[in-house]
Amino acid sequence: MDNLTFRYSVLQVEGLQVTPESSYPAFILLLMAYIFIMVSNIGMMIQITAEKSLHQPMYVLFCNLTLNDVMGTTALLPYLLRNVLTDPSERYITYVGCVIQAYIMHLNGTVSHTVIIIMAFDRYVAICNPLRYPTIMSNNMVAILSAGAWGVAVVLVGILIGLSVRLSHCRSLIQNPYCDNASIFKLSCENIVINNVYGLTFTVVLFASSASSVALTYFKIAMICFKSKNKATNSKAIKTCSTHLTVYIIMLATGFAAIFLHRFSVFAEIRKTSLLLFNVIPPVLNPIIYGLQAKEIRQRIFNLFRNKVNTN
């Protein structure tokens, strides 16, 4: 086969570096995280879909976030669970499977930011233009914004992965717990300047857009709290903002660290930890932070448990 188009059909994945003694505890922790993420996020989606009173812009946008978490978790955690119990020398994945996994993982990360940008816009309108909120955030507008969040991510990530797929291979080891874009283009000995330039530009624009949107939103909230004399309202707003910001900062920091540390092989284990935190912590916390702090959803859950207790 021509070296310019040579690609390995099967790749070896480095995976998580766990000792035989810690493989089963690691498996149990990952399994518990996977079950919780799937049950909580799917449960939230079902509840919001079934309850007409929850068909509001904020909850519809939250559904996008939960759907994205389910998609990303399904692409990653079952694969990691299998590899944790597999000997490192036998951790293989097909090249096609690797590309699909990389696409889904980057789509997951990108949609997390694009949806958060729209959620920030939703909060901005609700706070700064409360009287015009129903008109601005109509059902059509929410549908357009949601489609835009996914559409932009699909196209941009498609270009990102496409630039790596075009390259030939001179290596067959994925130096990562799972497949991502950087791991794929590192298989090549060709010039990857275009990959680095597009990847870094894409990352900077995405992170800067989401960070500025969140910063603007919470600045507006802070200004309103500063002007308001209602201590109860201010306390509730501060509590909500602080927990939301905590989840966002974790996602932003771990995502940035994982991308940045790909350029430095000496920090391989720190990078792997960052990747794992980025893909596990937000999906675990999102239904708790965004879901349970919403009064309507919290009441529905409490009523559900109360009815079950009374029935028993």
Side-chain angles (χ1 to χ4, degrees), residues 48-103:
I48 292 172
T49 303
E51 185 62 40
K52 289 185 178 180
S53 64
L54 298 179
H55 293 177
Q56 302 173 29
M58 181 174 64
Y59 301 123
V60 173
L61 294 175
F62 175 61
C63 265
N64 282 278
L65 208 58
T66 57
L67 174 62
N68 185 52
D69 286 340
V70 168
M71 177 190 70
T73 303
T74 303
L76 175 65
L77 285 187
Y79 179 78
L80 287 183
L81 286 168
R82 186 196 69 182
N83 280 359
V84 163
L85 300 181
T86 304
D87 188 89
S89 62
E90 298 177 357
R91 294 172 181 170
Y92 295 106
I93 188 172
T94 64
Y95 177 70
V96 173
C98 185
V99 170
I100 292 173
Q101 186 181 58
Y103 182 85

Side-chain angles (χ1 to χ4, degrees), residues 212-285:
S212 59
S213 300
V214 171
L216 176 63
T217 300
Y218 289 124
F219 175 75
K220 291 291 184 181
I221 293 174
M223 291 300 294
I224 288 177
C225 289
F226 178 76
K227 295 176 182 179
S228 174
K229 304 300 181 182
N230 192 323
K231 292 184 178 180
T233 302
N234 291 351
S235 175
K236 181 180 179 181
I238 292 171
K239 181 182 177 182
T240 302
C241 290
S242 61
T243 50
H244 288 188
L245 276 175
T246 301
V247 178
Y248 178 74
I249 289 171
I250 290 173
M251 184 184 75
L252 198 66
T254 53
F256 179 79
I259 293 170
F260 179 75
L261 293 176
H262 246 303
R263 274 74 188 170
F264 305 96
S265 56
V266 292
F267 300 117
E269 294 308 312
I270 300 177
R271 185 191 75 240
K272 291 179 182 179
T273 302
S274 298
L275 283 170
L276 195 59
L277 290 174
F278 175 78
N279 289 287
V280 173
I281 299 299
V284 168
L285 294 180

